[in-house]
Amino acid sequence: MEITEFVESLRLDGSLLADAAEEAGPDARIPACPEWQIRDLVTHTGRVHRWAADFVTQGLQQPGPPPEAPDLADDDLVAWLREGHHHLVLALHSAPQDLTAWTFLPAPSPLAFWARRQAHETSVHRVDAQQAAGASLTPLPSAFAADGIDELLTGFHGRDRSRVRTDVPRTLRVRATNAPGADWTVHLSDAPPHTVRTTADDGADAAKPADCTVEGPAEELYLALWNRLPWDALTITGEETVARLWQERSGI
């Protein structure tokens, strides 16, 4: 996907998140994070948006924590969220292509990293807000959802922090049924997961069955892997214990 596509997704989902937060009210519980209420979700997202904007606008080269949220009344929180979201969208729109800044996942460039990461961050939390409000989920384009699966598998769960480990090596195949090329094999062991794209060019490796295969439409797969939707709508074949391992240990 292009940087401009990520920024447009961020723009749309940030607005939808704020709308759903207003509808739900500050006390509404977040189904995927029961210890959180809407006020916690809004505060977290507002801080992360401002944190990301600082890297983009200032070209910061070292990691640092998100800024603290101001002490705001509940009635002012969503407006504060909208303000930070708007500032981030403008920052990404106007940033130079050769931006240099700290990143924490592989990406073609720092600008591509921050646009992609904030688009998916906001997309997942928009789902949280809509679920808290009891609203229908706004559909996600299959290409965007497939990209989010790729970021999760090859990025987040390629790091030492991933808790998806197993003493006995196993393979998990993840395949989106409605997105060309959206097919991955995750090699699980007592080390961080190692994910490779599964393509027809892999020959015998592509034909070799995984210990467990999880497949479904890209949006449902994306949200299930982020533990925002149940896995009931997905097709699981092989060792279901491998799928349960993901569900139990993949939280970020």
Side-chain angles (χ1 to χ4, degrees):
M1 291 180 59
E2 299 293 331
I3 291 173
T4 53
E5 294 177 289
F6 286 122
V7 177
E8 178 57 21
S9 293
L10 167 64
R11 184 195 65 78
L12 176 60
D13 276 324
S15 178
L16 291 170
L17 192 165
D19 291 345
E22 281 188 325
E23 180 182 350
D27 295 325
R29 293 285 175 183
I30 309 301
C33 308
E35 70 280 10
W36 270 16
Q37 296 172 291
I38 278 288
R39 65 170 59 85
D40 302 304
L41 178 71
V42 168
T43 299
H44 166 79
T45 308
R47 293 179 66 203
V48 169
H49 283 172
R50 287 165 170 81
W51 177 69
D54 284 346
F55 285 101
V56 174
T57 58
Q58 301 177 36
L60 301 178
Q61 301 298 314
Q62 298 295 326
E68 291 299 322
D71 186 13
L72 296 174
D74 285 340
D75 289 347
D76 297 325
L77 275 174
V78 173
W80 174 78
L81 171 67
R82 291 188 192 275
E83 178 185 53
H85 167 248
H86 179 67
H87 178 56
L88 174 59
V89 170
L90 289 180
L92 289 166
H93 266 308
S94 59
Q97 293 294 316
D98 61 352
L99 171 74
T100 60
W102 175 77
T103 62
F104 60 89
L105 294 177
S109 70
L111 181 57
F113 164 79
W114 285 108
R116 182 196 205 193
R117 176 81 289 278
Q118 290 307 299
H120 288 299
E121 172 86 8
T122 307
S123 171
V124 170
H125 287 320
R126 182 267 298 166
V127 169
D128 285 335
Q130 290 182 331
Q131 288 177 331
S136 298
L137 299 185
T138 302
L140 284 170
S142 59
F144 178 83
D147 180 84
I149 297 169
D150 188 78
E151 185 201 44
L152 181 64
L153 297 180
T154 66
F156 279 104
H157 285 289
R159 302 193 298 170
D160 288 341
R161 294 182 181 183
S162 177
R163 297 182 298 111
V164 185
R165 312 285 180 100
T166 175
D167 293 334
V168 179
R170 288 289 183 267
T171 52
L172 172 66
R173 189 167 182 182
V174 178
R175 189 173 77 89
T177 55
N178 62 341
D183 194 333
W184 302 264
T185 298
V186 186
H187 296 270
L188 302 173
S189 68
D190 58 0
H194 175 63
T195 300
V196 295
R197 281 188 172 273
T198 311
T199 69
D201 294 337
D202 292 334
D205 289 339
K208 184 179 179 180
D211 294 305
C212 179
T213 297
V214 179
E215 56 188 343
E219 180 179 12
E220 284 83 351
L221 195 56
Y222 172 60
L223 295 178
L225 289 170
W226 272 108
N227 295 318
R228 260 58 185 190
L229 284 181
W231 290 46
D232 301 355
L234 304 177
T235 301
I236 302 174
T237 55
E239 299 179 24
E240 292 193 7
T241 55
V242 179
R244 286 200 297 272
L245 175 72
W246 182 277
Q247 292 172 278
E248 293 169 359
R249 300 190 185 178
S250 65
I252 294 174

